[in-house]
């Protein structure tokens, strides 16, 4: 289930404060230096750095 557009506009990466973009079941940081991917579970973004996936 996609997130509401208004919600995605106000969310930012907790690590570097860059905007996030929706990609499959994750929210991915748009910063090239950070690029953490945060899971979305049951339509709720889990914006915890400890839960984020590091870029490959």
């Amino acid at each position: 289930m996609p997130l509401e557009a208004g919600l995605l506009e106000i969310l930012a990466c907790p690590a570097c404060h860059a905007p996030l973009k929706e990609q499959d079941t994750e929210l991915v940081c748009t910063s090239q230096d950070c690029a953490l991917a945060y899971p979305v579970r049951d339509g709720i973004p889990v914006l915890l750095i400890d839960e984020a996936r590091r870029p490959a």
Side-chain angles (χ1 to χ4, degrees), residues 4-17:
E4 294 181 27
L7 179 61
L8 195 55
E9 289 177 11
I10 62 171
L11 291 178
C13 176
C16 71
H17 308 290

Side-chain angles (χ1 to χ4, degrees), residues 3 11 14 20 25 27 37-53:
L3 296 175
L11 291 178
L20 297 169
T25 60
L27 293 178
Y38 299 93
V40 177
R41 296 185 188 127
D42 297 324
I44 300 169
V46 181
L47 298 178
L48 299 171
I49 296 171
D50 292 341
E51 294 282 326
R53 180 179 56 79

